[in-house]
Amino acid sequence: MACRRISESVVRGATTAESVVGQALARLEGDRFGAVVSVDRDGAMERAREVDLEVRRGRLRGPLVGVPVVIKDNICTRWWRTTAGSRALADFVPSYDAAVVERLAAAGAVVCAKTNCDEFAMGSRGTTSAFGPTQNPRAAGRSPGGSSSGSAAAVAGGLAPVALGSDTGGSIRLPAAWTGTVGFKPSYGAVSRRGLVAYCSSTDVIGPIGASVEDVAAVFDALAGPDAGDETVATARAAGEELPRTAAVLLDGDLPGVVVDAVRTVASCFPKRRDASLPSLAAACAAYHVCAASEAFSNLARHVVRAMPRSRASWAEGTPDCFGPECARRLELGARLLGERHADALYFRALDVRREVARSLRDIFAHADILVCPVAPHLPPRFDDHLPPADRGGGGDAASRRGDFLDAVAPDLPADYRDDDFTAFASLAGLPAITLPVAGSSSAGLPVGVQLVARRFEDRTLLAAARLVSRLLRDDDDDDDHEEPNASIYY
Amino acid sequence: MRRWRTVIGLEVHAQVLSARKAFCFCPTTPSEANSNTCAICLGEAGSLPVLNLDAVRVALRAAAALRCSSISETLEFDRKSYSYPDLPKGYQITQRRKGLGAGGCVEFEAEGVLRRVGLEGAHFEEDSAKTTYRGDAIDVDYNRCGRALVEIVTLPELESGSEAAACAREIQRVLRRAGASEARFEEGSMRVDVNVSVRDDDHLRPKVEVKNLNSLRAVRAACDYEARRQAEIYDAGGVVAQETRSWDGGETVRSRAKGGAEVYRYAPEPDLPPRPLESLVGRSVADHVDALRREIEPHIPAAVRARLRKRLDPLAAAGLVDADDYGRTARVAFFDACVAHGAKPKPTAAWILGDVAGALRKLEFDTIADSNLSPVDLAELLALLDQGTVSRRAAKDLLPDLLQRRTSSSVEDLVFERGLARISDVAALRQFAREALDAHPNELAAYHAGKKNLEKLFIGKALAASGGRADPVLMRDVVRDCLLQAS
Ligand SMILES: [Zn+2]
């Protein structure tokens, strides 16, 4: 809604993109949350003036005209440093714009700043960036969630109405949940990854974070669609925007009461509900980390080659130490998974779990239109809080196989891997998923998010469901008149 | 001393004929260093590969020409990781799990023996950049980086350096004839790695890879050297390290650049989802491969040689087939056309390989097809020669005219126009004989003094005086007659 209001005012001539962007830049330059890595004042003002020119020529329409956007710093911007939160890319200036940057520009949006993130999107706490940690604007002293920490914090902190993040195993949805924002991970293949600094190419997805479902839907509409430059983008756009009727409710393990309540509240918005279980939930998360580390191993190799001097002596010496500790640890894990531990076939067992997860989800979606579940097994933690590892789960042959797999890889997984317990499965299966904030449900005033998941390429069905839920939860059918704190500050 | 037998397998890398690189849109035309590059082939962060379908279609021609027994129904790619400046992404996109085709064979002659070597298969991959060293500095030219390659891997069935070289040469011919690659060593569009090991009666010893051999001579020499080196180590009770070596022109040396054995950490390429080959060729894979084979097979050296051997000796058959690579077997086509016009196979082949080839070389024509000589011309000329209308010498003299001629008059007309028809008129021959005798009074005297073998000299001189047009048998009689008369 913030987007539509800004866009309408700019198109109507009540304000100008230049003025809106100018205000946004001032806010971004005053960032106190460690949300922003770099602001492109001159470029953004120039782009804003171009938008105004196009508006006067009557050439721009739609809900993003003149809207200031911030994007995660792992999305390439031409002539503008793109760091992915890493020292390795501290001086990297791409020669091209990412597909999503081209699409935002075509829709009249103005990219103003690049946001902080966990190094190469590896992290769930917003703590591994070479440019320092990101603070949670809605919960002081607590993690904003990662890896799109800066994008979520920028929206939650009122620095920008919408942001782009990337989600590999939960990196949009988790920070959205912990900062009380709306975070949408589109279906894998709905949005081009061209220009996204790769982490785990088979699950990486770019998506929006905003203050409302309407805003993220508007940004998604601008981003989605085929791209000849990314062979993993689907060419056909899935139709349908039917409202889902049956919700499957997934509640698993030891969850805070407020999270359980929030999930039940959201589920109650749907006419029919049924309980669902995903037996491989913990194994899915572990399998995701195995896939991610394995793919990261080759994806990040180019940054090392780039950092190496072109001399025989330095190549004989070995590769430089250009990554932070968490990133280095995951790369080392990837190297072992594809190298020495290849014999244990952990990588291929992870692929088996991945297929099993997809099968279980197909079963769930055979009887339900939408899946409602937590985003994370806990509320925004203090920076030094960590969850214990998952237990092996129940009996049965399949469960025992999964348990063996978990035992085999658990020692290798990141400390906070269980942050991704409820997000990794949708990443593995490429399903669209959205985090909705459920206001006021935590006694401590901490944000609580609930996740909705739909079938692959039913992104618009998911967004329609999310819109319905947020309207019902606001107890207010007329969302046009609903005033959100974020929306009013721009005009 | 044990008897060691050499075991060699080849990995041939050939650049696929394509206007673009394998996974980006950069041109492949030769140009200034580092000018044919983009974010994709330079491995810039965030860049994604876009498969060049044309290059795959061309590489498929290679797989069909190499008689791969099974062509894959889907295209799948893998990443092969290694760290070196010639590979900006830190990995090469290749096909590890499933290539374009599996199986296949090449047939060739090595030292007069017909050999048939099996193939593991052929796969599609991208080329690395070209590195050169200036002291400690590594210069990299990324123009080559990302070019489409087809890699052909033979089974370890070759037994000597010369056999390995002959096999590489045959693969080169097949690739060229199939229109799949220029396969030129000197331009780097073909490179060969060899896997060399030795075996005694007990068992096969571990193999050593010698990389980046850039000539047939290097293939032969490196294989022989390496086999000898390994045998000597074993004979001395040593162990051959499993490592990657390179050829420095005189010996194989442990690769300093990339070190010893490598762990490539292969993994599926997530940026290129599996793609049905059918969608790429617009018909079923089996139909496509059948059609390709029908198109290419008639040009494949082994098939052509086998066909020609029915009418020619093996040497002539090989001569016609093996010499030119690019003109789509221009000589064979020419030979076939001559025979179709009634020429006899053996003399036709002899002329194409002998006098015609010589004249082409002298006049700097690349192939017979580039000249103006038509198969009808040669067939006619050979017929005139056969009938005795022209002498061999006259026929040969006429060749430069035929190669360069602009008129369409028949060869027979040309022969008479140019006064090249054979002279069998005895009065005219007597004239030439007299001239020869008159011009050599000393020899004539010697002849009459008893040096009867000078007769050959007078015959030769007389024939020469006729410009080679005189019938040699008649001329001999005429010269003898004149010598008798002169006594
Ligand atoms: Zn390129």
Side-chain angles (χ1 to χ4, degrees):
Chain A
M1 283 196 318
C3 293
R4 210 168 74 214
R5 278 164 200 253
I6 292 168
S7 182
E8 279 170 3
S9 307
V10 170
V11 171
R12 208 170 54 231
T15 184
T16 60
E18 192 175 356
S19 151
V20 175
V21 166
Q23 291 172 58
L25 288 169
R27 283 169 198 279
L28 289 161
E29 283 161 346
D31 164 41
R32 293 171 294 111
F33 306 113
V36 174
V37 173
S38 59
V39 176
D40 180 23
R41 171 169 279 278
D42 294 347
M45 291 305 281
E46 196 184 317
R47 289 189 286 276
R49 283 190 288 270
E50 278 164 23
V51 167
D52 286 328
L53 206 65
E54 293 292 288
V55 166
R56 281 200 291 279
R57 288 173 179 156
R59 285 189 195 155
L60 275 173
R61 293 252 178 290
L64 296 181
V65 179
V67 172
V69 181
V70 296
I71 64 180
K72 190 173 179 177
D73 207 20
N74 63 350
I75 296 171
C76 288
T77 40
R78 196 172 191 220
W79 309 131
W80 183 1
R81 188 176 72 142
T82 298
T83 68
S86 179
R87 254 186 307 134
L89 294 185
D91 63 349
F92 169 56
V93 179
S95 69
Y96 67 105
D97 276 330
V100 292
V101 172
E102 294 171 355
R103 282 170 174 259
L104 284 177
V110 178
V111 177
C112 294
K114 306 294 288 287
T115 57
N116 205 357
C117 58
D118 283 294
E119 184 174 12
F120 288 108
M122 293 177 174
S124 53
R125 299 285 175 104
T127 52
T128 70
S129 168
F131 303 93
T134 308
Q135 304 300 323
N136 190 334
R138 299 275 171 88
R142 289 174 186 267
S143 166
S147 64
S148 308
S149 53
S151 294
V155 172
L159 307 182
V162 279
L164 294 190
S166 70
D167 189 315
T168 303
S171 283
I172 285 175
R173 292 162 284 162
L174 187 72
W178 288 353
T179 59
T181 50
V182 179
F184 177 42
K185 178 198 98 71
S187 296
Y188 183 81
V191 175
S192 173
R193 291 181 296 119
R194 177 165 53 88
L196 172 67
V197 178
Y199 166 22
C200 174
S201 306
S202 70
T203 66
D204 285 342
V205 180
I206 295 174
I209 296 175
S212 67
V213 177
E214 286 73 13
D215 286 347
V216 300
V219 174
F220 172 72
D221 281 339
L223 302 186
D227 173 19
D230 177 358
E231 297 205 356
T232 60
V233 176
T235 44
R237 180 184 141 167
E241 209 176 305
E242 276 173 47
L243 273 181
R245 294 192 52 76
T246 308
V249 182
L250 176 67
L251 287 165
D252 190 61
D254 191 15
L255 294 166
V258 286
V259 170
V260 175
D261 290 348
V263 168
R264 294 235 159 89
T265 306
V266 169
S268 71
C269 298
F270 296 93
K272 281 163 109 187
R273 289 169 297 281
R274 50 191 301 144
D275 287 336
S277 72
L278 200 57
S280 45
L281 202 59
C285 185
Y288 154 71
H289 276 282
V290 167
C291 291
S294 304
E295 290 190 29
F297 171 77
S298 53
N299 275 331
L300 270 63
R302 65 186 68 196
H303 311 309
V304 180
V305 179
R306 185 178 156 275
M308 285 292 284
R310 302 258 176 86
S311 83
R312 292 210 259 188
S314 36
W315 280 91
E317 249 166 54
T319 50
D321 178 21
C322 54
F323 301 118
E326 178 61 25
C327 183
R329 231 186 39 73
R330 292 194 192 194
L331 291 177
E332 195 263 338
L333 169 61
R336 268 188 294 128
L337 288 166
L338 296 175
E340 307 87 274
R341 296 195 71 186
H342 208 47
D344 307 341
L346 286 179
Y347 176 65
F348 293 102
R349 283 161 74 188
L351 295 183
D352 284 343
V353 172
R354 188 172 185 168
R355 278 186 287 271
E356 191 185 327
V357 168
R359 246 189 333 269
S360 305
L361 284 163
R362 268 199 300 280
D363 289 346
I364 289 176
F365 283 109
H367 306 288
D369 308 312
I370 204 103
L371 176 67
V372 185
C373 66
V375 182
H378 52 160
L379 297 176
R382 295 189 187 284
F383 281 110
D384 52 2
D385 275 354
H386 302 289
L387 277 186
D391 60 35
R392 302 186 37 154
D397 273 358
S400 152
R401 271 203 313 278
R402 286 193 298 271
D404 292 346
F405 172 71
L406 261 179
D407 286 347
V409 298
D412 293 318
L413 300 181
D416 296 316
Y417 81 93
R418 291 203 50 212
D419 288 350
D420 304 327
D421 263 2
F422 284 95
T423 47
F425 70 85
S427 294
L428 285 179
L431 309 186
I434 191 167
T435 291
L436 288 179
V438 180
S441 44
S442 159
S443 53
L446 294 175
V448 177
V450 169
Q451 185 177 205
L452 301 181
V453 184
R455 296 179 191 99
R456 185 149 181 220
F457 296 125
E458 294 196 354
D459 298 68
R460 288 188 166 80
T461 301
L462 178 67
L463 288 166
R467 203 174 291 132
L468 168 85
V469 169
S470 62
R471 190 179 302 155
L472 290 175
L473 292 186
R474 269 204 311 270
D475 240 356
D476 186 345
D477 281 349
D478 187 1
D479 55 64
D480 277 348
D481 289 340
H482 187 78
E483 196 77 0
E484 282 181 36
N486 254 349
S488 58
I489 60 180
Y490 289 102
Y491 56 93
Chain B
M1 199 73 104
R2 279 168 290 185
R3 290 282 300 166
W4 295 102
R5 282 164 55 207
T6 307
V7 180
I8 302 166
L10 301 182
E11 293 173 19
V12 175
H13 303 261
Q15 281 176 350
V16 172
L17 278 173
S18 171
R20 299 204 288 109
K21 291 186 178 181
F23 299 107
C24 65
F25 302 88
C26 288
T28 53
T29 39
S31 61
E32 199 185 322
N34 291 305
S35 57
N36 289 344
T37 62
C38 70
I40 297 173
C41 57
L42 290 178
E44 201 170 316
S47 65
L48 296 174
V50 179
L51 179 61
N52 175 353
L53 304 181
D54 281 332
V56 175
R57 289 188 197 104
V58 173
L60 270 178
R61 299 178 66 84
L66 291 161
R67 301 168 174 182
C68 285
S69 45
S70 71
I71 301 287
S72 168
E73 292 278 334
T74 55
L75 276 176
E76 293 180 15
F77 295 95
D78 298 280
R79 292 177 174 183
K80 174 182 180 177
S81 289
Y82 71 85
S83 210
Y84 202 67
D86 64 1
L87 198 59
K89 295 193 297 293
Y91 59 85
Q92 177 194 31
I93 302 178
T94 181
Q95 296 187 301
R96 162 79 162 176
R97 291 161 300 161
K98 193 189 278 184
L100 290 174
C105 65
V106 276
E107 278 176 29
F108 56 96
E109 273 164 44
E111 289 164 350
V113 181
L114 190 67
R115 288 280 284 129
R116 186 191 176 95
V117 165
L119 300 181
E120 211 163 84
H123 66 260
F124 187 85
E125 62 183 26
E126 58 178 339
D127 207 344
S128 56
K130 190 175 179 194
T131 51
T132 42
Y133 303 105
R134 265 183 308 116
D136 183 51
I138 308 174
D139 287 336
V140 190
D141 176 4
Y142 291 101
N143 284 358
R144 201 181 76 182
C145 191
R147 283 197 63 161
L149 290 183
V150 60
E151 179 175 342
I152 298 126
V153 181
T154 75
L155 295 172
E157 296 179 345
L158 297 157
E159 294 169 359
S160 70
S162 62
E163 215 172 83
C167 181
R169 175 74 179 100
E170 185 68 14
I171 290 174
Q172 182 180 46
R173 274 188 207 109
V174 172
L175 290 172
R176 291 173 172 177
R177 300 267 167 89
S181 174
E182 295 256 324
R184 290 185 198 268
F185 280 106
E186 60 278 19
E187 286 165 17
S189 58
M190 174 161 165
R191 275 116 54 201
V192 178
D193 300 342
V194 294
N195 289 302
V196 183
S197 54
V198 293
R199 67 180 308 157
D200 55 12
D201 294 336
D202 305 342
H203 61 289
L204 186 64
R205 304 299 173 118
K207 68 185 181 186
V208 168
E209 185 171 27
V210 186
K211 271 190 176 305
N212 276 322
L213 299 169
N214 55 14
S215 71
L216 293 172
R217 182 202 306 253
V219 169
R220 189 178 57 239
C223 287
D224 288 340
Y225 176 90
E226 183 57 26
R228 204 164 50 242
R229 185 186 73 90
Q230 292 179 21
E232 281 167 10
I233 291 176
Y234 289 126
D235 283 337
V239 176
V240 171
Q242 203 162 3
E243 61 188 3
T244 303
R245 298 175 75 86
S246 51
W247 176 246
D248 73 358
E251 55 183 7
T252 65
V253 290
R254 187 167 185 278
S255 289
R256 266 168 307 173
K258 291 169 196 172
E262 307 214 23
V263 184
Y264 290 124
R265 296 192 163 87
Y266 288 97
E269 166 56 271
D271 291 330
L272 296 166
R275 179 196 287 267
L277 199 55
E278 199 174 289
S279 70
L280 215 123
V281 297
R283 51 183 160 183
S284 86
V285 174
D287 286 353
H288 184 69
V289 172
D290 280 352
L292 273 185
R293 291 224 168 98
R294 270 199 304 280
E295 183 208 322
I296 298 170
E297 183 73 19
H299 305 284
I300 294 309
V304 183
R305 277 194 295 261
R307 173 168 69 79
L308 293 183
R309 259 191 231 106
K310 289 174 193 154
R311 324 175 83 163
L312 299 172
D313 63 274
L315 210 65
L320 284 178
V321 175
D322 294 353
D324 54 25
D325 291 345
Y326 294 107
R328 267 311 181 89
T329 60
R331 287 180 173 183
V332 174
F334 198 93
F335 168 83
D336 288 339
C338 287
V339 173
H341 284 101
K344 291 176 184 161
K346 278 181 186 162
T348 305
W351 271 77
I352 291 175
L353 291 170
D355 293 327
V356 175
L360 287 168
R361 218 170 13 249
K362 209 170 282 172
L363 294 169
E364 299 184 339
F365 287 107
D366 284 338
T367 72
I368 201 165
D370 297 326
S371 78
N372 287 336
L373 180 72
S374 73
V376 182
D377 291 343
L378 187 60
E380 237 182 285
L381 187 63
L382 294 179
L384 292 173
L385 191 61
D386 218 28
Q387 294 154 14
T389 311
V390 291
S391 68
R392 224 189 100 74
R393 168 73 192 277
K396 195 178 159 185
D397 285 350
L398 194 60
L399 275 177
D401 285 3
L402 290 173
L403 295 180
Q404 295 171 300
R405 79 204 193 104
R406 309 220 174 278
T407 58
S408 58
S409 45
S410 74
V411 174
E412 191 167 8
D413 288 349
L414 271 179
V415 163
F416 287 107
E417 257 168 48
R418 299 272 319 271
L420 291 170
R422 175 164 295 195
I423 304 166
S424 8
D425 173 55
V426 175
L429 296 181
R430 196 173 288 276
Q431 188 74 32
F432 293 123
R434 287 252 162 73
E435 275 173 37
L437 267 56
D438 292 350
H440 300 88
N442 296 339
E443 287 81 357
L444 189 60
Y447 175 84
H448 289 304
K451 289 192 91 176
K452 296 293 175 197
N453 62 349
L454 279 173
E455 179 195 284
K456 280 201 189 97
L457 174 110
F458 295 117
I459 297 170
K461 296 290 177 189
L463 284 171
S466 77
R469 292 158 54 205
D471 183 313
V473 180
L474 273 179
M475 183 58 99
R476 189 191 59 202
D477 296 343
V478 170
V479 168
R480 280 179 182 165
D481 196 34
C482 287
L483 285 170
L484 280 174
Q485 284 175 19
S487 59

